[in-house]
Amino acid sequence: SAVSPDSQLVGYSAVAAGGERRASIAVISIGSEGLIKTLSRPDSSVLRSVWAHDGDGIYFVASAASGNSLWYQPLGAPSPRLVGDLGSEEIADFALSPDGLSIAFIRGRWVNDAVLIEGLGSIQPGNEPEA
């Protein structure tokens, strides 16, 4: 979830009725606790979101079969605008610069290896192999 710069609105990832996983961000007003808007992209799911510094919209990272992308959704517009393609590696986090002109993100992939070490039970203290 992300709180707007004026602390009046909260945007959070929401799951569609029926458990369908798709990109949807619900925006609610903290004061009235009412739903203001639902922002969605039916072909993807929302990974992370952050408010624009002016509070007029939300940047979000969406993940689809084709990879990850960064979008900007103005609250007053019917659909989001594509900002850029972020590739297929996992997006851990992203942030806007203080002036709102740059975006930084952390991405990468998991590398897992397994190692089997055998024969350690035969080494006793004072009986270590010579180097």
Side-chain angles (χ1 to χ4, degrees), residues 8 17 20 23 37 65 76-79 83 99 102 111-112 116-117 127:
Q8 298 301 307
E20 184 181 325
K37 187 169 190 165
S79 59
V83 176
D99 62 6
S102 299
V111 177
N112 299 308
L116 176 62
I117 301 174
N127 190 20

Side-chain angles (χ1 to χ4, degrees), residues 94-118:
F94 81 103
L96 294 176
S97 64
D99 62 6
L101 299 176
S102 299
I103 298 169
F105 61 95
I106 301 168
R107 76 173 178 195
R109 59 186 169 88
W110 288 94
V111 177
N112 299 308
D113 290 320
V115 177
L116 176 62
I117 301 174
E118 295 183 291

Side-chain angles (χ1 to χ4, degrees), residues 13-58:
S13 296
V15 176
E20 184 181 325
R21 186 173 164 91
R22 70 170 192 238
S24 116
I25 300 173
V27 178
I28 62 168
S29 170
I30 293 175
S32 68
E33 297 180 11
L35 182 66
I36 302 232
K37 187 169 190 165
T38 300
L39 318 169
S40 67
R41 289 195 39 79
D43 62 342
S44 59
S45 59
V46 172
L47 300 177
R48 304 265 187 262
S49 62
V50 65
W51 283 88
H53 292 298
D54 60 10
D56 288 340
I58 296 177

Side-chain angles (χ1 to χ4, degrees), residues 41 43-44 62-69 71 82 85-89:
R41 289 195 39 79
D43 62 342
S44 59
S63 177
S66 60
N68 301 309
S69 52
W71 296 83
L82 178 64
D85 178 14
L86 301 179
S88 61
E89 294 180 333

